[in-house]
Amino acid sequence: MSYNYSHLSTGIKGLDRVVKGLMPGDNIVWQVRGIEDYHYFVNHYARFADLKNQRLVYFRFASHPPLLDSADFPAAEIHHPDPTAGFEPFISQVHETIKRNGRGGYYVFDSLSDLANAWYSDRMLGNFFMLTCPYLLDMEALAYFALLRDHHSYNALTPVHNTAQVIFDVYKNRDNVYVHPLKAQQRYSATMFMLHAHRDGDFVPVTNSALNSEILSFTPFKSTDQAFEERDRWNRYFQEAAQIAQQGEAAADPSAAATADPGGAQHLRKLLEMVVTRNERMLELASRYFTIEDLLQIGKRMIGTGLIGGKSTGMLLARAVLQKDAPDLRDIVEVHDSFYVGSDVFYTYMVINGCWWIRRQQKDTETLLGVAEYARRVILTGKFPDDIVKKLADMLDYFGQSPIIVRSSSLLEDDYGNAFSGKYESVFCPNQGSSERRLANLLTAIKLVYASTLSEKALHYREQMGILDKDEQMSLLIQRVSGDLRGNYFFPAVGGVGYSYNPYVWNEAIKPEAGVIRIVYGMGTRAVDRSDDDYTRIAALSAPEKRPETGIDELRKFSQKRVDAIDLAANRLLPVDFNEIARFSPPQELRLAASQDPETNTPYISFNGLFRNTPFVGHMRRILGSLDQAYQYPVDIEFTLNFTGEEGCRSLAAAQEGRGEEVAACDPAANYRINLVQCRPFEVRKSEAVALDFAAADEKQVILAARKGTVIGRSRTIHPGRVVLVSPAGYAALPVPGKHLAARAIGKIMRATSRDNPAVLIGPGRWGTTTVSLGIPVTFSEICEAACVCEVVAMHEGLIPDVSLGTHFFNDLVEFDIMYLAFYPGNEGSVLNQDLLASFRNLFNDLIPEREYRPLAEVITVVDFPARELVLAADIVNQNYQLFRTPGKSTDFENMP
């Protein structure tokens, strides 16, 4: 039988477009919160069948109000099979009706959830669907079914999801209707499985992450009744907590369950130790800001058991702090809908894949590194338990085609004293393609994060911090990537990092306590990595328009040129030229993110409009100040910003109206949400008083000096014992392998350097870069014992050190209290006295006698000085520094006024 496909429709053209049209035999399942949501779609479907003179058959068997009646649809066949008569009589009557009607036709079934009630069995509901759906498919009929969301176990859902051709989730956020296609067999598009908003008879994809999470947050991933249904110890604690929370809600004071009632307080503490942290300092903070209801919400979004880890804790705690201490920001901070893979899943994975014994060898890095590479290979090829894979697949259904990121959240990470900046992997999943492909990519991403626990940089860091023997389990934080779709590119309007204390003061108007941000257009990866020769915008929140750069030429030259974005067509994260991205960006967004070059009439990224025409700077100061006060400690955050336009204004108005507040005016062009994706203590030390007198030092004994250079860290005076100078000209002449060999040589020199007489490292370009054309590709573990790192602006014309503030490299410098300097040759007052260093004996060959390193003695100079003969003084307020010799006079300098 041939079909006219124009006779196949949901009755809503916009919905047909979402799933690329209906096909003969499609069984369409609607997962709804209430039967009235299903009724809306049934009505359109039935009216289309009536319009096209298609046979319409309705199976009426449930207790809810009828979906169709003979008055409105006189041509409809209405059958009343009785589920209470038993499974076999019921299904026989249904199948006989389908057989009698022959091929084709439009079928409507009442809510299948009533069948589970009638038969007291989710499994029998699933059996009914597995027998009926294929029969309708063979008959090339269309059929509508409904399930009440969050009412059924896997015994019902798995057969339905495996057998149906099309599945929709239906959500209502106040008066707005949204559909989320979970399955559309033999059909695909780049936006098909995204959330879609009903607008003027059409359904349009909701691509903005802020709106997605805001809408879906009103419908929990799991219901309270179903989330903790297993009868093990873990779930019993959550069930008891849910009962305590219900008692608190019934009380006059809803907080009574967690405060006045001793049982509630004890249970809160127990849940915190189970799920959040066992660190006493973090426990005290969490106890002040988390409620039992908060922990129940965490539990509903957990995959597996165990702790959620430091990164998850920091992100959730920051939000709880702002909710309690800064309620005026509640409509500015983006709602999150993250998931957490518990630490027990990591241990289970290590055990079942034979990697557990390797972790028992964590006595020192030399022992562990010998077997770590083998263990990494095993981890990357391992298998997950079936129940975990199933839950991860359910999570992907929830996210649809929204890009996600799998982030490390180990037990020691983001704690006081242990930042682990960039030591573990975070893996982006563009989340495109079939459900099987998306699940495979997710599992690979998780394995990469697990394997990073045995990476050399992570193991060296733990050894250096003295925590190699501590229990370090890897939990995971899985988040919706913050951003919006522009063409094929997905990225946020702003990504960046913020500090509540500013360690980089380049102007007298800057107040360190007001904080500082480092921001980029696009993904925040460009703000925390030092992988290319691009630049970022640094803004002191007390004086955001006081730029380190001066003049329009410098502002253009040292502005961001490339944007990190997820290319959904290429299915990966890519750097894209800003001029390419700008073609797809909304004009109002560009006006806030970019300025117009008066000479070329082209835009360049400045964020001047964002700072001048929105309250963004004030919001960031309020956020950082509130978190600093709660932690009683400087904090470091990662954040994004997304503009939400008219849809965001509509959602904001609904939220204000729902709270009984007056609806405030909202400018769609400047309406935004700030998403806090990370928060941790910032291990910055405060400055010492330094009175730097350039005239006091013998100019012939000055090795390095700058007036109005770049100093990051804290003002202080130190006495290094060794200077390591990498000749800019000599390094530039090395071939690429030679540059890598030079980096390894520096690592060897630093391992032979005493902590009592630390070294000053002076070299061209960016220390710690991964690109040798930009600087010296050392790892941080190779230079972590340095007293100071100085970047000389001498790699190539036009490249300046992009101040590392906010990068993983910078966080390491601050955590290890290493001074950072930038040196600009040719600037007034700048001195780099290579001749003075050349007058001393070069110890390079003494420290590294191996033959392959000998040519590098012409490039790397190593000079040792007697104790306290060298003085390095740095003044962060005036951005001055000087490294000089004071033979026999070091105490004189210290006593200078």
Side-chain angles (χ1 to χ4, degrees):
M1 179 179 179
S2 61
Y3 258 90
N4 182 345
Y5 275 64
S6 67
H7 288 176
L8 303 178
S9 174
T10 63
I12 305 173
K13 290 182 179 180
L15 192 58
D16 292 344
R17 285 193 291 270
V18 170
V19 293
K20 300 291 186 182
L22 296 186
M23 300 169 63
D26 275 349
N27 288 265
I28 299 110
V29 176
W30 298 86
Q31 298 187 151
V32 295
R33 176 64 67 186
I35 200 65
E36 65 279 1
D37 297 339
Y38 179 45
H39 192 187
Y40 172 83
F41 294 99
V42 166
N43 188 58
H44 281 275
Y45 169 80
R47 291 196 180 282
F48 183 85
D50 193 48
L51 177 67
K52 297 294 183 178
N53 296 315
Q54 298 294 299
R55 190 166 52 252
L56 180 62
V57 181
Y58 172 36
F59 289 109
R60 170 72 178 139
F61 52 80
S63 59
H64 59 68
L67 302 170
L68 304 176
D69 59 56
S70 54
D72 290 331
F73 298 95
E77 293 183 21
I78 301 178
H79 298 268
H80 295 82
D82 182 7
T84 63
F87 177 82
E88 190 165 347
F90 179 84
I91 196 170
S92 294
Q93 186 176 348
V94 169
H95 284 212
E96 282 296 327
T97 301
I98 297 170
K99 180 180 180 181
R100 187 170 57 252
N101 277 287
R103 308 188 74 80
Y106 278 55
Y107 289 83
V108 175
F109 288 77
D110 273 348
S111 170
L112 298 182
S113 296
D114 269 40
L115 296 182
N117 296 334
W119 297 330
Y120 306 102
S121 170
D122 272 6
R123 192 176 299 275
M124 292 308 292
L125 184 162
N127 289 340
F128 169 78
F129 194 84
M130 282 194 296
L131 292 171
T132 303
C133 174
Y135 192 33
L136 288 161
L137 176 63
D138 289 342
M139 300 299 286
E140 297 183 314
L142 296 181
Y144 266 29
F145 302 88
L147 283 172
L148 295 179
R149 191 171 49 250
D150 304 326
H151 276 59
H152 299 287
S153 68
Y154 287 137
N155 293 330
L157 297 179
T158 300
V160 171
H161 285 206
N162 289 344
T163 313
Q165 283 71 49
V166 179
I167 302 175
F168 290 105
D169 260 346
V170 180
Y171 298 99
K172 288 188 74 173
N173 179 1
R174 301 183 174 94
D175 295 327
N176 300 309
V177 177
Y178 303 88
V179 297
H180 185 186
L182 301 181
K183 183 179 182 181
Q185 205 169 68
Q186 299 178 1
R187 281 151 282 192
Y188 178 76
S189 75
T191 60
M192 181 179 292
F193 301 110
M194 291 181 175
L195 192 69
H196 287 71
H198 189 208
R199 291 285 175 265
D200 301 323
D202 201 359
F203 282 87
V204 295
V206 180
T207 58
N208 187 289
S209 64
L211 296 174
N212 266 286
S213 55
E214 198 168 292
I215 294 161
L216 293 175
S217 68
F218 287 92
T219 303
F221 178 62
K222 297 176 181 177
S223 72
T224 303
D225 295 334
Q226 298 295 321
F228 313 115
E229 60 185 359
E230 297 178 31
R231 298 299 298 171
D232 58 12
R233 189 67 176 168
W234 173 271
N235 284 293
R236 281 204 299 274
Y237 271 119
F238 273 107
Q239 290 167 351
E240 292 167 10
Q243 293 172 358
I244 291 173
Q246 290 171 0
Q247 293 168 6
E249 289 175 3
D253 178 7
S255 65
T259 53
D261 175 42
Q266 292 171 8
H267 220 92
L268 176 65
R269 173 80 180 200
K270 172 59 71 176
L271 284 177
L272 287 171
E273 292 176 347
M274 278 176 51
V275 178
V276 177
T277 183
R278 289 162 198 162
N279 178 291
E280 280 299 326
R281 193 169 182 181
M282 290 300 293
L283 268 174
E284 190 278 328
L285 189 58
S287 297
R288 284 193 281 126
Y289 287 99
F290 282 140
T291 65
I292 284 182
E293 182 56 38
D294 291 331
L295 296 173
L296 288 171
Q297 292 303 317
I298 293 171
K300 293 173 188 177
R301 306 186 79 86
M302 282 195 72
I303 295 171
T305 60
L307 294 163
I308 60 175
K311 192 165 289 176
S312 297
T313 296
M315 182 270 292
L316 292 168
L317 188 55
R319 292 169 176 276
V321 167
L322 295 179
Q323 184 174 358
K324 182 177 181 181
D325 295 350
D328 51 303
L329 296 176
R330 61 188 165 194
D331 293 327
I332 299 300
V333 176
E334 181 175 322
V335 176
H336 84 96
D337 55 356
S338 308
F339 287 79
Y340 323 97
V341 180
S343 56
D344 294 350
V345 178
F346 171 68
Y347 266 172
T348 302
Y349 185 84
M350 299 295 281
V351 169
I352 66 177
N353 289 290
C355 299
W356 171 256
W357 64 273
I358 294 174
R359 291 177 57 80
R360 299 294 298 165
Q361 300 184 40
Q362 293 180 166
K363 306 300 181 186
D364 59 71
T365 50
E366 297 305 318
T367 302
L368 195 52
L369 286 173
V371 292
E373 187 55 39
Y374 165 75
R376 285 171 56 83
R377 289 198 300 271
V378 174
I379 291 172
L380 292 173
T381 56
K383 302 291 184 183
F384 288 91
D386 290 343
D387 64 314
I388 297 299
V389 174
K390 171 59 180 168
K391 290 175 182 177
L392 290 169
D394 288 345
M395 180 195 72
L396 283 183
D397 281 347
Y398 171 88
F399 282 128
Q401 284 171 291
S402 292
I404 59 175
I405 182 171
V406 180
R407 308 184 73 193
S408 66
S409 182
S410 77
L411 302 197
L412 298 177
E413 199 170 355
D414 288 2
D415 203 349
Y416 288 95
N418 308 319
F420 280 88
S421 296
K423 300 301 180 292
Y424 296 136
E425 294 290 340
S426 290
V427 183
F428 287 99
C429 295
N431 206 21
Q432 301 299 295
S434 67
S435 57
E436 294 79 12
R437 181 185 181 189
R438 289 185 284 131
L439 179 59
N441 290 342
L442 171 63
L443 296 178
T444 298
I446 292 173
K447 292 173 184 179
L448 286 169
V449 178
Y450 280 176
S452 71
T453 61
L454 293 172
S455 68
E456 185 174 352
K457 63 181 178 181
L459 295 172
H460 275 306
Y461 176 85
R462 291 177 59 191
E463 183 180 49
Q464 291 150 7
M465 299 300 292
I467 54 175
L468 191 59
D469 59 345
K470 285 194 175 182
D471 185 25
E472 175 65 325
Q473 304 173 42
M474 180 56 73
S475 309
L476 301 172
L477 171 60
I478 302 180
Q479 294 177 296
R480 185 190 301 275
V481 174
S482 184
D484 205 342
L485 190 63
R486 301 160 180 86
N488 283 327
Y489 301 115
F490 187 93
F491 59 92
V494 179
V497 295
Y499 296 91
S500 63
Y501 181 85
N502 182 3
Y504 178 27
V505 179
W506 62 88
N507 185 284
E508 59 274 6
I510 292 172
K511 299 176 182 178
E513 293 76 14
V516 63
I517 57 174
R518 172 185 170 100
I519 60 174
V520 295
Y521 191 62
M523 304 292 286
T525 47
R526 189 153 291 268
V528 298
D529 293 334
R530 311 184 92 204
S531 57
D532 61 20
D533 60 350
D534 210 358
Y535 302 95
T536 58
R537 175 73 193 265
I538 295 174
L541 294 178
S542 58
E545 297 200 44
K546 297 289 185 183
R547 303 279 301 259
E549 310 88 353
T550 58
I552 186 64
D553 291 336
E554 282 199 357
L555 296 182
R556 285 195 308 262
K557 184 176 181 181
F558 303 130
S559 66
Q560 181 187 348
K561 304 298 191 301
R562 287 178 288 279
V563 177
D564 282 356
I566 295 176
D567 186 333
L568 297 186
N571 207 24
R572 61 193 180 104
L573 181 69
L574 293 170
V576 185
D577 186 83
F578 172 62
N579 292 327
E580 163 71 10
I581 285 283
R583 296 192 301 115
F584 302 102
S585 298
Q588 65 270 22
E589 183 177 296
L590 285 179
R591 283 195 293 272
L592 296 173
S595 297
Q596 204 73 9
D597 186 326
E599 294 182 6
T600 64
N601 202 33
T602 58
Y604 67 93
I605 298 171
S606 68
F607 294 110
N608 289 340
L610 180 67
F611 293 164
R612 296 169 184 170
N613 303 323
T614 75
F616 169 70
V617 170
H619 285 150
M620 291 306 301
R621 286 188 65 168
R622 181 96 166 90
I623 288 170
L624 288 167
S626 298
L627 295 175
D628 185 292
Q629 187 172 5
Y631 272 76
Q632 290 295 293
Y633 209 84
V635 295
D636 154 16
I637 67 170
E638 289 184 20
F639 68 92
T640 63
L641 179 147
N642 289 293
F643 296 101
T644 56
E646 291 184 4
E647 185 78 17
C649 285
R650 196 159 31 235
S651 180
L652 179 63
Q656 292 169 342
E657 189 175 9
R659 295 193 297 262
E661 300 172 358
E662 183 178 348
V663 176
C666 178
D667 178 6
N671 186 250
Y672 58 75
R673 304 287 189 275
I674 296 172
N675 188 14
L676 285 177
V677 297
Q678 185 170 311
C679 179
R680 60 189 171 197
F682 178 40
E683 299 295 326
V684 65
R685 297 166 178 83
K686 300 299 175 70
S687 294
E688 303 169 1
V690 173
L692 184 55
D693 185 354
F694 283 91
D698 182 347
E699 63 180 21
K700 294 180 181 179
Q701 301 300 320
V702 174
I703 298 171
L704 180 72
R707 304 187 189 202
K708 295 301 179 183
T710 298
V711 181
I712 297 184
R714 58 192 179 98
S715 297
R716 56 185 151 154
T717 300
I718 58 179
H719 295 280
R722 172 172 286 175
V723 175
V724 180
L725 172 66
V726 181
S727 165
Y731 183 79
L734 291 175
V736 170
K739 289 182 169 69
H740 284 286
L741 193 66
R744 304 293 78 76
I746 291 166
K748 287 176 172 286
I749 292 167
M750 292 306 300
R751 283 193 289 274
T753 300
S754 168
R755 291 188 178 185
D756 296 329
N757 290 289
V760 173
L761 300 178
I762 306 170
R766 300 177 183 177
W767 288 89
T769 181
T770 57
T771 307
V772 295
S773 63
L774 304 180
I776 304 170
V778 293
T779 63
F780 185 77
S781 64
E782 290 176 313
I783 63 171
C784 65
E785 299 293 347
C788 173
V789 170
C790 177
E791 297 185 341
V792 179
V793 187
M795 280 303 295
H796 60 73
E797 184 179 356
L799 175 70
I800 68 166
D802 175 37
V803 173
S804 65
L805 181 78
T807 64
H808 295 317
F809 179 80
F810 164 77
N811 287 346
D812 286 334
L813 293 179
V814 171
E815 192 168 19
F816 283 77
D817 200 25
I818 299 171
M819 187 182 294
Y820 168 91
L821 309 173
F823 179 80
Y824 302 83
N827 281 10
E828 184 180 354
S830 295
V831 175
L832 176 56
N833 196 340
Q834 299 187 58
D835 292 338
L836 175 58
L837 288 176
S839 68
F840 295 93
R841 183 168 177 269
N842 186 356
L843 300 177
F844 182 87
N845 287 331
D846 296 353
L847 297 173
I848 310 178
E850 292 90 342
R851 180 183 300 274
E852 67 268 28
Y853 287 96
R854 288 180 185 173
L856 292 176
E858 301 298 318
V859 178
I860 302 174
T861 299
V862 184
V863 179
D864 283 354
F865 294 88
R868 301 183 71 80
E869 182 172 297
L870 277 186
V871 177
L872 174 57
D875 177 5
I876 189 174
V877 175
N878 297 300
Q879 291 290 288
N880 300 331
Y881 59 84
Q882 190 174 54
L883 172 66
F884 59 99
R885 291 180 69 224
T886 60
K889 297 182 180 179
S890 60
T891 55
D892 293 343
F893 176 82
E894 290 176 333
N895 293 326
M896 284 193 296

